[in-house]
């Protein structure tokens, strides 16, 4: 599953959502997570106060056949399950199934009713007709009604709800949302719509017969083996998957989707469906969104030397989805944020998420983590697949850049939520497993392991792990043993510190030369918090560049102590020394060396992160010829360095250093092929000493003509920074003919500088054109309105409760998520204003009263929530 990290992006970009999140951790005094930490009874024995074991297998599921139909108006599923199972080892005369909030009408076997107990609405306990041994299969039939909306549900930040089965707009009351049904199983929610052993270490083959009105399309796991018209305009689709998978991967979706067909040809020449299920209006965008999928299947199959194992690979986009995306076997669900037109796709695409879910079909679906504590066996690999795809498709720089974003995600998540072992046996809630450790950190750990073992051993190790454990559940030791098998090395040291330990490395280095100048001494200090984090064993490299040499000398070292010194012979003057030149360590590294060394590193390293750090450090340390350095960075082969160069030119006052610099900025602003770079140039361009008129003209041209939304929006805010009046005038002049995305930018401008008359624009956008705004766009419009309104005279705020009530009633799932934060933001802003008024003797009593009334009204909006 991929989380809706999108929200973080929105959060970051909406400055007005005053969030208390601090991103800098206290490096040397790191918080520890949760009370489950080991308690010592004596020095040698440690006992966990909490241990989340894998589910004990009393019964093995063998085959699950479901026949389902729907009562759309009540949001019920009417089901009949034919379940084949057997005792796992010990003979048994009963079976216990997870079944959440159902109405069970009958359980039978060979036509005879069985006795069952179902008093807690959670576990269905069935007494079989006799005792069975582990070599005897039995089949029972359960007739039931699933009522997902009548259960008390909960959720988490990662997966917003555990309802399992979702009826979206089932009565068609909302004309803007296509009625649909879909499911979300992970972690243990599929037992809301069929009785099963809802644990990741249980596996079963599957059949699903879905009866719906003929106008609907259905999707489930496996092959569609028949589709039969019934009486009364109904149709039954029969989906069948002959390979076993875990119950949380079962999936079903129903709606009037369009199917855009694609395919993948396996090595043996056979072909499988790779179809995209989208709402009809997105039919033409589907290939632009998902079109790389067949190439990804091919690449991952080759990399793992293991053919894609399942019958097909279909992807579907649903409304009001509760997470980012989910790797249901062969039938992956995405939230509707992936709907993007060609202009949006210029700025960003969802290939990382597509790769992530696809890679799960080996790591997660084929071999499944045996318990949620072992979730990194699913998620770290899916996370790392994003790196693998970027590396293959876009090159190492892009992959390394995205890896930096991921590692930052881990640092932030850990600083915020605390540190824990990657394989986290003592979590408090299984949903907590879906965090920056299991995903981001795990991905970086796999990258380190790959660097340590080498590509051949690493990928062969993955193949060994997958082939040895296919169609079963695994724990972290299976992974270790696969790598040990292949490499011949005992890898407990690596797994202990990275998979079974917590934290990350913080390294400080400095260097000195001996008196004769022919030996360089490198001092290395591990400065992570030693109370909670281990002293790591770190095999790595040191690169030493000497004058005149075209390549660095590479020295292999292993750091094992808190403080260590390594010395190396050098025959020429050294011009740079760098630890971890391949940039693979999960580490914050602080190298104490001269600016000239960093300058040299920028020009001579071939790794993105080395070069980025070198550029920043060289400039901050006032290296020689900073102008040339920035000019070269503006012309770098990798877009992110070019974009950073613009920001650095601005930060170090180099924008007008010479005509060359100015020309380079203008050239990149107009002609760079990456929208991120053109976008980054906007602010630097406004700082040039060209005439105000010229700058306003050029920015206006960009606002009207650049194909990228990001550039248009950034050009607009740069223009407003230059001249608020001009920005407002342009916004007003283009408002009437502006396309939808430009309207959002105009709203952003008005939120910052709009005057009283702009109220009509906002009211039109919100009340009359609300169907234009969905997801992030809808949240943005709401917050732009709020910011705008809070800037106006007190009298103009009266519309605020009406607008908020409108969003409360009509807002989509994104608004729901941000709504109370929005109201809270209004309340705290108004309270602040009120206390200022109260402390001001000259203030108008009428204003005080207006604010007090408004606060009361806003308070009642949240109360009724
Ligand atoms: Zn995932």
């Amino acid at each position: 599953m991929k989380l809706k990290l999108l929200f973080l992006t929105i959060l970051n970009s909406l400055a007005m959502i005053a969030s208390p999140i601090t991103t800098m951790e206290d490096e040397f005094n790191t918080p520890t997570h949760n009370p489950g930490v080991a308690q010592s009874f004596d020095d040698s024995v440690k006992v966990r106060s909490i241990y989340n074991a894998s589910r004990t297998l009393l019964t093995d599921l063998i085959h699950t056949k479901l026949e389902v139909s729907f009562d759309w108006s009540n949001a019920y599923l009417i089901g009949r399950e034919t379940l084949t199972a057997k005792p796992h080892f010990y003979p048994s005369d009963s079976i216990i199934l997870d079944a959440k909030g159902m109405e069970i009408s009958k359980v039978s076997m060979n036509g005879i009713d069985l006795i069952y107990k179902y008093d807690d609405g959670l576990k269905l306990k069935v007494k079989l007709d006799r005792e069975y041994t582990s070599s005897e299969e039995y089949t029972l039939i359960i007739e039931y009604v699933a009522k997902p909306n009548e259960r008390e549900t909960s959720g988490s930040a990662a997966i917003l709800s555990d309802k399992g089965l979702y009826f979206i707009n089932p009565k068609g009351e909302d004309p803007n949302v296509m009625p649909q049904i879909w499911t979300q199983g992970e972690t243990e929610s599929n037992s809301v719509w069929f009785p099963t052993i809802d644990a990741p270490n249980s596996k079963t083959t599957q059949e699903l017969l879905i009866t719906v009105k003929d106008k609907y399309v259905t999707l489930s796991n496996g092959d569609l083996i028949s589709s039969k018209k019934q009486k009364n305009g109904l149709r039954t689709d029969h989906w069948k998957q002959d390979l076993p998978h875990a119950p949380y991967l079962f999936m079903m979706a129903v709606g009037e989707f369009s199917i855009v067909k694609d395919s993948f040809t396996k090595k043996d020449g056979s072909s499988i469906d790779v179809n995209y299920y989208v709402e009809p209006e997105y039919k033409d965008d589907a290939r632009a969104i998902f079109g790389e999928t067949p190439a990804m299947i091919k690449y991952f199959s080759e990399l793992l030397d293991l053919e894609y194992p399942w019958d097909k690979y279909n992807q579907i986009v649903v409304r009001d989805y509760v997470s980012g995306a989910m790797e249901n076997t062969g039938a992956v669900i995405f939230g509707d944020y992936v709907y993007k037109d060609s202009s949006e796709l210029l700025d960003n695409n969802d290939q990382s998420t597509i790769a992530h879910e696809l890679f799960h079909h080996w790591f997660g679906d084929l071999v499944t983590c045996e318990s949620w504590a072992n979730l990194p066996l699913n998620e770290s690999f899916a996370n790392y697949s994003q790196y693998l795809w970027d590396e293959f498709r876009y090159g190492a720089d892009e992959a390394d850049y995205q890896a930096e974003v991921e590692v930052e995600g881990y640092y932030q998540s850990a600083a915020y939520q605390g540190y824990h072992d990657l394989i986290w046996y003592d979590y408090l809630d299984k949903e907590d497993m879906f965090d920056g450790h299991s995903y981001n950190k795990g991905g970086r750990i796999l990258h380190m392991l790959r660097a340590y073992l080498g590509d051949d051993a690493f990928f062969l190790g993955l193949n060994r792990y997958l082939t040895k454990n296919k169609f079963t559940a695994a724990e972290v030791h299976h992974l270790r043993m696969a790598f040990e098998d292949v490499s011949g090395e005992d890898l407990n040291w690596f797994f202990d510190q990275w998979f079974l330990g917590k934290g990350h490395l913080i390294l400080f280095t400095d260097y000195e030369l001996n008196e004769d100048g022919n030996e360089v001494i490198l001092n290395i200090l591990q400065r992570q918090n030693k109370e909670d984090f281990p002293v790591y064993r770190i095999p790595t490299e040191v690169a030493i560049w000497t004058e005149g040499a075209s390549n660095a000398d590479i020295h292999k070292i292993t750091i094992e102590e808190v403080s260590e010194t390594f010395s190396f012979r050098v025959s020429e003057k050294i011009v740079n020394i760098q630890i971890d030149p391949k940039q693979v360590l999960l580490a914050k590294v602080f190298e104490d060396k001269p600016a000239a060394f960093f300058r040299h590193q920028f020009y001579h390293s071939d790794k993105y992160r080395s070069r980025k750090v070198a550029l920043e450090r060289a400039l901050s340390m006032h290296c020689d010829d900073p102008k040339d350095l920035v000019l070269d960075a503006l012309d770098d082969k990798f877009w992110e360095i070019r974009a950073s160069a613009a920001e650095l030119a601005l930060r170090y006052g180099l924008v007008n250093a010479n005509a060359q610099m100015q020309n380079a900025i203008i050239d990149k602003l107009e002609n760079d092929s990456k929208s991120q770079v053109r976008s980054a140039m906007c602010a630097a361009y406004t700082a040039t000493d060209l005439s105000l008129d010229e700058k306003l003209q050029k920015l206006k041209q960009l606002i009207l003509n650049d194909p990228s939304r990001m550039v248009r929006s950034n050009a607009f805010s740069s223009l407003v920074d230059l001249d608020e009046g001009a920005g407002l005038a342009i916004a007003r002049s283009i408002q009437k003919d502006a396309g939808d995305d430009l309207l959002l930018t105009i709203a952003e401008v008005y939120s910052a500088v709009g005057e009283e008359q702009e109220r009509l624009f906002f009211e039109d956008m919100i009340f009359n054109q609300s169907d234009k705004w969905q997801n992030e766009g809808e949240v943005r419009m709401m917050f732009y309105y709020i910011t705008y309104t809070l800037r106006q005279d007190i009298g103009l705020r009266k519309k605020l409760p009406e607008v908020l009530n409108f969003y409360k009633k009509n807002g989509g799932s994104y608004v729901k998520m941000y709504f109370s934060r929005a109201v809270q933001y209004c309340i705290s802003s108004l309270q602040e204003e009120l206390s200022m008024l109260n402390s001001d003797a000259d203030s108008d009593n009428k204003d005080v009263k207006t604010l007090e009334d408004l606060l009361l009204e806003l308070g009642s909006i949240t109360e009724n929530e």
Side-chain angles (χ1 to χ4, degrees), residues 1-2 327 356-357 360 379 382 439:
M1 141 154 300
K2 187 142 191 241
E327 67 270 20
H356 178 114
E357 306 309 330
H360 270 310
E379 295 303 346
Y439 288 74

Side-chain angles (χ1 to χ4, degrees), residues 1-3 186 325-327 353 356-357 360 363 375 378-383 386 434 439:
M1 141 154 300
K2 187 142 191 241
L3 313 182
E186 195 169 29
M326 177 66 205
E327 67 270 20
T353 309
H356 178 114
E357 306 309 330
H360 270 310
F363 296 90
L375 184 70
N378 294 8
E379 295 303 346
S380 303
F381 284 97
N383 178 279
Q386 302 166 211
F434 295 79
Y439 288 74

Side-chain angles (χ1 to χ4, degrees), residues 573-584:
K573 184 184 168 203
I574 97 160
V575 288
N576 186 22
I577 178 167
Q578 188 191 10
I579 191 161
D580 186 28
K582 295 204 181 93
Q583 298 289 289
V584 293

Side-chain angles (χ1 to χ4, degrees), residues 1-8 156-161 166 182-186 289-290 313 315-328 331-340 349-358 360 379 386 431 434 439 775 813-814 817:
M1 141 154 300
K2 187 142 191 241
L3 313 182
K4 224 168 182 174
L5 289 179
L6 186 66
F7 288 131
L8 278 178
S156 63
I159 307 163
L160 298 172
S161 165
Y166 297 78
W182 46 263
T183 60
Q184 165 56 38
E186 195 169 29
I289 298 166
F290 292 112
Y313 193 76
Q315 297 169 95
I316 188 168
V317 185
V318 303
R319 293 283 172 192
D320 291 355
Y321 189 50
V322 287
S323 190
M326 177 66 205
E327 67 270 20
N328 312 298
V332 172
I333 286 196
F334 293 83
D336 55 5
Y337 63 89
V338 298
Y339 283 139
K340 290 187 175 75
N349 62 54
D350 294 293
Q351 283 181 29
S352 284
T353 309
I354 294 167
H356 178 114
E357 306 309 330
L358 172 60
H360 270 310
E379 295 303 346
Q386 302 166 211
E431 306 300 330
F434 295 79
Y439 288 74
N775 303 337
S813 60
Y814 279 52
M817 194 168 309

Side-chain angles (χ1 to χ4, degrees), residues 427-464:
Y427 62 73
L428 292 178
D429 182 337
K430 61 185 183 310
E431 306 300 330
D432 294 342
M433 286 301 302
F434 295 79
D435 69 354
H437 283 77
S438 296
Y439 288 74
N440 312 41
K441 185 186 183 192
R444 302 327 303 147
I445 290 172
L446 291 172
H447 191 58
M448 280 193 289
L449 189 57
R450 173 184 169 189
Y452 176 71
L453 295 172
D455 278 12
D456 289 349
F458 179 75
F459 289 110
L460 187 57
L462 296 187
N463 176 284
R464 187 73 49 92

